[in-house]
Amino acid sequence: MRMSLSLIQSELTKTRAFVFKNWIMTKRNVFTLFEILFWPLVAFLSVGLLAEFAALQPEMKAFIMIGVISMSAVQVCQLDVAYALLYDVWSKAIKHGFAAPVGIRHLLFGSLIVGILRGGSVFVILVVASYALFGFNFALPGALPIALFVLGLFLSAAMVGIFVCILVLMFGNRAEVAAWSLVSLMLLLCGVYYPVSVLPAWVRVLAEVIPLTYFLEYFRLFYGFPPIFSHVLLKGYVMVIAYLVVEVYAMKAALRRAKRTGLLLKLSE
Amino acid sequence: MVTFAIEAKGLHKTFVSGWFRKRIKHALRGVNLSVPEGVFWGLLGPNGAGKTTLLSIIANLLIPEQGEVYVLGEDLRRNAGAVRRRINLSSGHANFLWSLNVRENLEYYAMLYGLSGNERRQRVDDLLALFDLQEFARVRFEELSTGTKQKLSLAKSLVNDPALLLLDEPTVGLDPDVAHRIREAIRRLHRERGTTILMTTHNMKEAETLCERIAFIKDGRIKAVGKPQDLKDELRLGDTISIAFNGTVQAEALRSLQGTYEVQMSDSLCRILVDDHRKRLPQILEFFMGRQIFIHDLRIQESDLEDVFIAYTK
């Protein structure tokens, strides 16, 4: 009993290490503040003003607002998961982290906690701003749908963040650009500013394998946009959880590969 | 019965790089190494010999193509997690998270090793005191001098009170004063805690002062293993006694003295290479005095690890 308690405490402490690292790095680096306040607000205001200028119907405006708020929250949250590795890569200290007895689960959960805090902050700021500036009521669907939607967003963010980590462990510093570009690619494919139905058939196939597509479809249902896919929430969650499980194994394999090729050491030089 | 902290058997490691993966570098070619527990072991060799590769394999940062490694009795392939809990490493050119201060960096790594609450705080305080880092506790890593970064690296390597410590060129790039203090800290650590240490260095004096056993590695192969004195004896490097004198000396008579390897003679100067000057000097002095040859200068040059290093790497 005592053994299992100390094991739990050790697991929590190791997870907390990643919270501690990401939190302090966030506090002390001005670019992380820009990620929470500057870029999301610029994107949000641009889209909001464009919607005003185009004199969009309220439901169309809601469609776009949901998209821009979601993408900003996902972008910031996934960055934190990617940063769990990238901070060590940029500091050339990655070997010390992996020399310690920590697992991918600690990295994932620890960084995701800070990601949810930062992404959640962006989400709240933009929801309040959308109401104050453009009269958009994000609370319309009610607490449970919002909770399910937001959880889906953060799980999607974790999925993207781990994918970035896998790429960095496979291709080194060259892959860090993925931390900023993958979400933009999702913006194109998931129907953030337009319904997936306008995509060419072959692109829609790609949209169908991205869980965020389903979470957006689910939430827009409450604003008068019937989903083009069935069981959107179920599909979204099954898909995102399956991807996360696969990614954890893929990251373990990528780490083993980096130890075989010597990339892990090269990233510390 | 000797228990080994490290047992490496038949280690092979190859790095492949370049377009179409054509550049192949054989870093280790069948390395066998057994390091007993509690010993301060030095790993010496020229650049690219495979020292860091070997250390990194033991630290589970590299996976070899062939061979087995047992660390503290655990098979590294099967039980890497258990090994990582009980070992730690410190490298020259220390790098840590730039925005975290000294205390936060130590706290972070202590957390990675599962230390929580008071135990962690106490350990960090002890390490700050041990390496005279208290005054830098709140200074960010990016603002530290090279010497202080190196001290932090050593402090970090002790957060989990490791049974095996791997030191990769711990004093590289430091000025002599700081390097001396770091060496003292390492020596104290080994003496007081009995930690097994495997250290790579290019500083032969450092290796000779600190290490009880030395392994020479070149081209990915261990060339020699032993105590520093035994390695010198094995290579018959000996010590050189230079004597300036007035008179005539028969080189052959000098050569016949016990323990003499070689005699070089010029007009009034002879260089005598002996196995150990402490043992042979009395008989050499007796030789000169017995023949009433006046000695007006005498110098002794002991061979050191640098000579051994050159002999093994040339």
Side-chain angles (χ1 to χ4, degrees):
Chain A
M1 181 70 177
R2 183 176 289 177
M3 177 114 172
S4 63
L5 272 176
S6 89
L7 190 70
I8 290 168
Q9 190 176 35
S10 169
E11 286 288 296
L12 290 175
T13 304
K14 289 173 186 178
T15 304
R16 202 182 139 204
F18 289 93
V19 178
F20 179 78
K21 174 176 74 173
N22 275 30
W23 180 247
I24 292 180
M25 294 298 277
T26 297
K27 271 198 319 188
R28 304 235 172 105
N29 288 284
V30 73
F31 67 86
T32 58
L33 199 67
F34 266 61
E35 283 163 5
I36 300 175
L37 289 175
F38 185 75
W39 302 118
L41 276 172
V42 166
F44 167 77
L45 288 172
S46 306
V47 171
L49 291 170
L50 179 68
E52 290 284 304
F53 170 69
L56 294 180
Q57 299 282 320
E59 64 272 20
M60 294 304 284
K61 209 195 285 180
F63 188 100
I64 289 173
M65 287 287 164
I66 291 166
V68 72
I69 293 169
S70 308
M71 283 314 291
S72 298
V74 169
Q75 169 70 323
V76 171
C77 181
Q78 68 87 22
L79 274 176
D80 263 292
V81 178
Y83 282 163
L85 197 68
L86 286 174
Y87 283 144
D88 281 335
V89 171
W90 293 332
S91 307
K92 299 181 187 294
I94 191 168
K95 71 176 176 186
H96 294 297
F98 283 111
V102 285
I104 296 190
R105 62 189 179 280
H106 305 117
L107 177 145
L108 172 62
F109 287 121
S111 58
L112 189 57
I113 288 168
V114 182
I116 289 172
L117 282 174
R118 291 212 311 147
S121 305
V122 170
F123 184 81
V124 171
I125 290 167
L126 296 188
V127 165
V128 171
S130 68
Y131 184 73
L133 299 175
F134 304 110
F136 169 60
N137 182 12
F138 201 92
L140 184 72
L144 185 64
I146 291 176
L148 289 170
F149 175 60
V150 170
L151 181 63
L153 292 185
F154 290 140
L155 289 176
S156 299
M159 186 191 87
V160 179
I162 300 182
F163 191 61
V164 174
C165 293
I166 292 169
L167 292 178
V168 170
L169 284 174
M170 288 179 73
F171 304 108
N173 296 74
R174 286 172 291 177
E176 68 184 45
V177 69
W180 294 271
S181 52
L182 274 178
V183 170
S184 301
L185 195 65
M186 280 171 65
L187 183 141
L188 196 69
L189 296 171
C190 299
V192 169
Y193 297 131
Y194 41 79
V196 178
S197 55
V198 304
L199 293 169
W202 66 272
V203 182
R204 203 186 307 168
V205 174
L206 295 175
E208 283 179 39
V209 294
I210 301 173
L212 188 60
T213 307
Y214 300 98
F215 294 124
L216 287 169
E217 286 261 300
Y218 167 72
F219 203 66
R220 283 168 177 156
L221 171 70
F222 298 95
Y223 291 87
F225 295 92
I228 58 168
F229 305 110
S230 61
H231 307 98
V232 279
L233 199 59
L234 182 68
K235 279 184 185 169
Y237 272 109
V238 168
M239 212 174 258
V240 80
I241 288 165
Y243 284 155
L244 281 170
V245 171
V246 170
E247 278 185 332
V248 168
Y249 284 100
M251 192 164 162
K252 280 183 182 173
L255 182 59
R256 265 199 306 276
R257 182 180 177 275
K259 287 180 180 182
R260 270 203 310 274
T261 59
L263 181 67
L264 196 67
L265 285 184
K266 225 177 252 176
L267 288 172
S268 297
E269 287 167 359
Chain B
M1 190 181 146
V2 181
T3 47
F4 291 102
I6 302 167
E7 274 188 286
K9 295 173 189 168
L11 287 185
H12 284 263
K13 183 68 202 165
T14 307
F15 294 109
V16 185
S17 60
W19 287 100
F20 305 109
R21 306 174 71 73
K22 273 187 177 169
R23 266 202 304 275
I24 296 171
K25 158 110 177 104
H26 297 286
L28 298 181
R29 305 165 191 248
V31 165
N32 297 305
L33 184 71
S34 298
V35 177
E37 277 185 10
V39 172
F40 199 133
W41 198 284
L43 188 59
L44 309 182
N47 289 326
K51 303 183 294 291
T52 302
T53 302
L54 181 55
L55 233 64
S56 303
I57 287 173
I58 295 163
N60 192 230
L61 294 169
L62 271 178
I63 297 175
E65 281 93 45
Q66 276 181 50
E68 295 176 342
V69 190
Y70 291 86
V71 179
L72 302 167
E74 302 278 359
D75 185 344
L76 198 53
R77 275 178 310 185
R78 300 206 175 130
N79 217 349
V83 170
R84 288 205 302 262
R85 268 193 287 278
R86 297 179 61 203
I87 69 170
N88 212 318
L89 81 154
S90 167
S91 312
H93 304 300
N95 285 313
F96 292 107
L97 293 157
W98 73 91
S99 286
L100 269 62
N101 63 36
V102 167
R103 174 177 277 282
E104 287 162 347
N105 262 304
L106 288 175
E107 292 256 357
Y108 169 61
Y109 285 104
M111 280 190 233
L112 288 184
Y113 284 87
L115 266 70
S116 56
N118 286 336
E119 188 190 8
R120 184 177 68 240
R121 269 186 293 279
Q122 190 58 53
R123 183 73 53 85
V124 169
D125 285 341
D126 290 348
L127 290 171
L128 289 172
L130 182 65
F131 290 96
D132 295 325
L133 285 167
Q134 291 109 323
E135 62 176 305
F136 302 102
R138 293 188 176 279
V139 180
R140 290 189 199 184
F141 180 77
E142 61 191 346
E143 293 162 7
L144 297 174
S145 67
T146 312
T148 313
K149 284 178 180 175
Q150 205 49 43
K151 281 186 189 175
L152 171 62
S153 177
L154 278 171
K156 171 259 153 191
S157 70
L158 301 181
V159 287
N160 59 328
D161 196 10
L164 169 64
L165 183 58
L166 306 168
L167 303 175
D168 193 6
E169 301 187 34
T171 58
V172 68
L174 300 179
D175 62 53
D177 174 46
V178 180
H180 174 73
R181 275 184 278 154
I182 296 271
R183 269 195 289 276
E184 281 308 307
I186 294 170
R187 194 204 305 268
R188 205 168 56 229
L189 172 77
H190 176 62
R191 198 176 50 226
E192 289 170 9
R193 301 191 185 197
T195 311
T196 311
I197 298 178
L198 177 60
M199 177 180 81
T200 73
T201 180
H202 280 116
N203 184 332
M204 295 303 125
K205 212 78 192 151
E206 180 173 281
E208 199 157 10
T209 329
L210 292 175
C211 302
E212 294 157 282
R213 295 278 197 288
I214 302 282
F216 276 97
I217 185 168
K218 191 192 173 198
D219 297 330
R221 292 187 180 94
I222 300 281
K223 296 283 183 183
V225 175
K227 292 179 186 172
Q229 187 58 46
D230 292 347
L231 289 169
K232 281 189 259 181
D233 292 347
E234 200 173 299
L235 288 169
R236 293 166 67 91
L237 289 175
D239 302 329
T240 304
I241 301 173
S242 302
I243 298 174
F245 57 91
N246 289 334
T248 315
V249 171
Q250 295 286 322
E252 281 309 310
L254 263 175
R255 263 186 211 111
S256 65
L257 293 175
Q258 197 186 356
T260 306
Y261 294 151
E262 197 184 320
V263 176
Q264 287 176 354
M265 195 73 88
S266 60
D267 294 341
S268 58
L269 181 74
C270 68
R271 277 203 185 85
I272 311 159
L273 184 66
V274 294
D275 52 0
D276 183 347
H277 76 274
R278 285 174 210 85
K279 285 187 202 160
R280 308 305 170 196
L281 190 59
Q283 65 178 9
I284 291 171
L285 291 176
E286 204 175 294
F287 176 92
F288 278 84
M289 285 190 288
R291 286 165 177 75
Q292 295 184 326
I293 300 167
F294 177 66
I295 295 172
H296 58 84
D297 193 22
L298 186 147
R299 287 171 197 204
I300 296 166
Q301 192 188 350
E302 285 185 78
S303 64
D304 53 22
L305 265 185
E306 198 154 326
D307 300 308
V308 181
F309 181 88
I310 291 165
Y312 276 117
T313 53
K314 72 184 171 190

